[in-house]
Amino acid sequence: MAYFSIGVDLGGTNLRVAAVDEQGAVLETIATGTAVARGRDTVIGEMCQAILALRDRFQQTAALVGVGIGVPGIIDMHTGMLRESPNLPGWGDYPVREEIERRLHTRIILENDANAAALGEFWMGAARDVPSMCMYTLGTGVGGGIVLDGHIWHGMTGMAGELGHNTVYPDGAPCGCGNVGCVEQYASATAIRRMAREAAGARESSTLGRALQADPHLSAQQIFRLAREGDAAAQGVFDRAGEALGIAVASCINALNLPMYVIGGGVSAAWEAFAPSMMKTIRARSFVYKATTPEDQTGQEGNATIITRALLGADAGLLGAARLPLMEQEHGGR
Amino acid sequence: MAYFSIGVDLGGTNLRVAAVDEQGAVLETIATGTAVARGRDTVIGEMCQAILALRDRFQQTAALVGVGIGVPGIIDMHTGMLRESPNLPGWGDYPVREEIERRLHTRIILENDANAAALGEFWMGAARDVPSMCMYTLGTGVGGGIVLDGHIWHGMTGMAGELGHNTVYPDGAPCGCGNVGCVEQYASATAIRRMAREAAGARESSTLGRALQADPHLSAQQIFRLAREGDAAAQGVFDRAGEALGIAVASCINALNLPMYVIGGGVSAAWEAFAPSMMKTIRARSFVYKATTPEDQTGQEGNATIITRALLGADAGLLGAARLPLMEQEHGGR
């Protein structure tokens, strides 16, 4: 091991920091309970402490190439600042990259968390054998990341891959972004819970209805369990999620004709519940999917388009973040 | 002029062949009435004759670098063959590129016609000052082409940019591709005519209704004229087309965050009729458009996202096709 890197996953519920070697092996992970909600200065303080601890630990055997940080928000690639976001109160117009570089005297790269997750799956996960891929991260919201010929596609201002706000039902549910019918309103954990409440309202006698009466805060994971146990109302919720995601993925396939589309994030644990309706929708709606992927050849050979689950779970974002400074190192500086 | 190239636009209604110099100046254009409908061998024969005529004319002053051919169909990039398509009966599984290369002894590059048009607008038209762009061609159908960092994005099998078959209304009009609610069913010339017939059926007393009774084959151009003259039913058709196109473009902006989206093809002549509803829809539905392009800054400065009309008309495809061998020349062979 000549080099190592540090990746940071700044999640809504906790902060994880890992030292990763150039082969993608995780050397050590520090997880703290520091939620974004505890405030910018607390988060940055604990993040820097964890980074320093890992640096001190491993720099005797290898050189630290830099720190990559996956952030749940939109980053101005030029200034290293974040746009103000509801998830990150107090972070807007604050020089995050500069401030951390000043404290640590090392190269810092900020990246949107869904982009980092896509790069992680591309490097070490489901997409490690393809040149390009797209990933949907189904969490509290729906994020997206696009990797083209080995590099995250950032677009003009670093905002590319905002796939969660693509319209799937033009007259659908209102979204916080100001649009209605975004895929995020059907395929996120938040949406699963909303659709379950709606379904239970319509069919109060179902198991789902009784479960929601007992616990109004039923999680997407618990709703998935009911679907797996055969509750039709709970299964209907995942059918709807799969259809919405299928409409979104079908359009992405037509536009980009990539070899692989990866579905990750917490909701992807319910793959068996939503994948059948998703795959049926993609086949019905994507001209390019049908042309590349005959019915008897779903993703295993030749130029078939592959739709698959993410493999790395929460480590995708951590590994992708750590990969960023390693890529710069390989390509000779910024 | 050291080099020149020959571009071919193999359209549904006629065949156009042009000699183009390295600066993008059209030296001479030969247009024949040879429609695709006259059959593969006739088309290829007349195409080769026109190419030879232009070559003989200009090769005394400059070297021919090759011939680019824009074709209304899907091309296998590796074999230079076309997939069988309803627009091109008899062309499937025929070695088009090899056959023309054999006859002409010069380098032939085949490209999808919508991709060629995008490259043409990128080279010499609306998008000549941006590094990346996406073009929608609104003709008999709706085609698409994506140029990323100066090169057509082909995807895994050359099918990328099939934007016309993206779903905008999941319960919408049936499409020849097998899907329902494709943007092609709302924003193509064919769709304008269908929607006009539907609108006239509902409001027979309108000017549109009377015009359709007098001429059931009313063209999209004529329907546009009625809209411009103030007919509400005709304007409603273009409002619908603009909304559908807006939903499609909004998702493309979210996914790719490109600096420019160009609307071309015959229907783009009706820009003033459909652009208002298209722009309103894009602003309402694209998170990335809103973030990059504040209301008081619609496309003229900084990092604003620009949505604009194509500039080159039918020459876009011809110039883009001619550009293909010139690009290979610049980048040193295949």
Side-chain angles (χ1 to χ4, degrees):
Chain A
M1 179 175 81
Y3 299 106
F4 77 106
S5 170
I6 293 177
V8 178
D9 181 15
L10 177 55
T13 45
N14 64 1
L15 170 73
R16 296 168 72 229
V17 184
V20 176
D21 75 11
E22 60 250 96
Q23 309 300 320
V26 176
L27 305 171
E28 186 176 329
T29 303
I30 297 176
T32 76
T34 311
V36 167
R38 285 182 57 197
R40 186 191 75 202
D41 294 338
T42 308
V43 170
I44 290 180
E46 297 208 5
M47 185 195 301
C48 288
Q49 233 178 330
I51 292 167
L52 286 172
L54 291 174
R55 184 176 73 181
D56 290 349
R57 174 97 182 250
F58 294 101
Q59 74 179 358
Q60 289 136 20
T61 50
L64 176 63
V65 296
V67 178
I69 306 178
V71 183
I74 292 165
I75 295 141
D76 182 316
M77 303 303 290
H78 303 295
T79 63
M81 313 240 292
L82 296 178
R83 291 180 65 99
E84 191 70 58
S85 127
N87 296 329
L88 294 165
W91 292 71
D93 299 323
Y94 174 82
V96 182
R97 188 177 68 204
E98 263 180 39
E99 180 59 28
I100 303 174
E101 277 183 345
R102 192 185 61 73
R103 293 202 204 179
L104 300 181
H105 306 287
T106 187
R107 173 89 176 110
I108 303 292
I109 305 175
L110 297 183
E111 184 55 86
N112 168 269
D113 57 355
N115 284 351
L119 188 63
E121 289 288 338
F122 177 79
W123 186 29
M124 298 300 297
R128 66 189 174 280
D129 295 326
V130 293
S132 301
M133 57 85 80
C134 172
M135 177 165 168
Y136 289 77
T137 298
L138 314 181
T140 310
V142 172
I146 299 172
V147 175
L148 301 182
D149 292 336
H151 294 268
I152 294 170
W153 177 257
H154 283 116
M156 173 174 59
T157 58
M159 295 180 70
E162 276 294 336
L163 302 170
H165 295 290
N166 280 2
T167 303
V168 290
Y169 299 114
D171 299 317
C175 183
C177 77
N179 187 18
V180 300
C182 294
V183 65
E184 176 164 304
Q185 293 304 317
Y186 299 90
S188 63
T190 317
I192 300 285
R193 296 175 63 200
R194 186 199 80 239
M195 293 190 294
R197 287 192 302 272
E198 291 166 1
R203 298 171 61 168
E204 288 183 14
S205 61
S206 71
T207 313
L208 178 63
R210 288 193 302 273
L212 272 165
Q213 273 176 336
D215 176 8
H217 300 289
L218 211 63
S219 69
Q221 183 64 34
Q222 290 169 308
I223 299 162
F224 168 50
R225 213 168 297 141
L226 293 177
R228 202 157 51 175
E229 287 164 6
D231 182 66
Q235 181 54 50
V237 166
F238 285 99
D239 289 344
R240 191 90 197 274
E243 184 187 86
L245 189 59
I247 292 172
V249 174
S251 291
C252 196
I253 297 172
N254 285 345
L256 295 174
N257 184 205
L258 303 180
M260 186 181 282
Y261 302 81
V262 176
I263 313 297
V267 174
S268 70
W271 174 266
E272 62 179 272
F274 69 80
S277 64
M278 177 185 73
M279 294 306 300
K280 188 177 152 208
T281 303
I282 291 171
R283 180 166 295 285
R285 294 194 183 272
S286 175
F287 183 71
V288 172
Y289 183 77
K290 272 183 292 191
T292 53
T293 317
E295 200 112 37
D296 53 357
Q297 179 196 333
T298 42
Q300 299 311 312
E301 47 192 292
N303 282 327
T305 301
I306 303 174
I307 322 284
T308 191
R309 280 181 72 163
L311 292 181
L312 303 176
D315 283 350
L318 211 48
L319 281 161
R323 177 75 177 134
L324 294 164
L326 289 165
M327 282 179 80
E328 277 198 356
Q329 175 82 5
E330 286 170 19
H331 293 87
R334 302 192 186 195
Chain B
M1 181 173 81
Y3 300 105
F4 77 107
S5 169
I6 293 177
V8 178
D9 181 18
L10 177 54
T13 46
N14 64 1
L15 171 72
R16 296 168 72 230
V17 185
V20 176
D21 76 11
E22 0 108 268
Q23 309 299 321
V26 176
L27 305 171
E28 186 175 331
T29 303
I30 297 175
T32 77
T34 310
V36 168
R38 286 182 57 197
R40 186 190 74 201
D41 293 339
T42 309
V43 170
I44 289 179
E46 297 208 4
M47 184 194 303
C48 288
Q49 233 179 328
I51 292 167
L52 286 172
L54 290 174
R55 182 174 75 181
D56 291 348
R57 174 96 182 252
F58 293 101
Q59 74 180 357
Q60 289 135 22
T61 52
L64 176 63
V65 297
V67 178
I69 307 177
V71 184
I74 291 165
I75 296 142
D76 183 314
M77 303 302 292
H78 302 294
T79 62
M81 312 238 295
L82 296 177
R83 292 179 64 99
E84 190 71 59
S85 128
N87 296 328
L88 294 165
W91 291 71
D93 299 324
Y94 173 82
V96 182
R97 188 176 68 203
E98 262 180 40
E99 180 59 27
I100 303 175
E101 278 183 344
R102 192 185 60 72
R103 292 202 204 178
L104 300 180
H105 307 289
T106 188
R107 173 87 177 108
I108 303 292
I109 305 175
L110 297 183
E111 184 55 84
N112 169 268
D113 57 355
N115 284 351
L119 188 63
E121 290 288 339
F122 177 79
W123 186 30
M124 297 300 297
R128 66 189 174 280
D129 295 326
V130 293
S132 300
M133 57 86 80
C134 172
M135 179 166 167
Y136 289 77
T137 297
L138 314 181
T140 310
V142 172
I146 299 172
V147 175
L148 301 182
D149 293 336
H151 295 268
I152 294 169
W153 177 257
H154 283 116
M156 173 175 60
T157 57
M159 295 181 70
E162 276 294 336
L163 302 171
H165 295 291
N166 281 3
T167 303
V168 290
Y169 300 115
D171 298 318
C175 183
C177 77
N179 187 16
V180 300
C182 293
V183 65
E184 176 163 304
Q185 293 304 316
Y186 299 90
S188 64
T190 316
I192 300 285
R193 296 174 63 201
R194 186 200 79 238
M195 292 190 293
R197 287 193 301 274
E198 290 167 0
R203 299 170 58 169
E204 286 183 16
S205 61
S206 72
T207 313
L208 178 63
R210 288 193 303 273
L212 273 164
Q213 274 176 336
D215 177 8
H217 300 289
L218 211 62
S219 69
Q221 183 64 34
Q222 290 169 307
I223 297 161
F224 168 50
R225 213 169 296 140
L226 292 176
R228 201 155 52 173
E229 288 164 5
D231 182 67
Q235 181 55 50
V237 166
F238 284 98
D239 289 345
R240 191 90 197 272
E243 183 186 88
L245 190 58
I247 293 172
V249 175
S251 291
C252 196
I253 297 172
N254 285 344
L256 294 175
N257 185 205
L258 303 179
M260 186 181 282
Y261 302 82
V262 177
I263 313 296
V267 174
S268 70
W271 175 267
E272 61 178 271
F274 69 79
S277 63
M278 175 185 75
M279 294 307 300
K280 190 179 150 205
T281 303
I282 290 171
R283 180 165 294 286
R285 294 194 183 273
S286 175
F287 183 71
V288 171
Y289 182 77
K290 273 184 292 191
T292 53
T293 318
E295 200 112 36
D296 54 357
Q297 180 198 332
T298 41
Q300 298 313 311
E301 46 192 295
N303 283 326
T305 303
I306 301 174
I307 321 284
T308 192
R309 280 180 73 164
L311 291 180
L312 303 176
D315 282 351
L318 211 48
L319 280 160
R323 177 74 178 134
L324 294 164
L326 288 165
M327 282 179 78
E328 277 198 357
Q329 176 81 5
E330 285 169 19
H331 293 90
R334 302 191 187 199

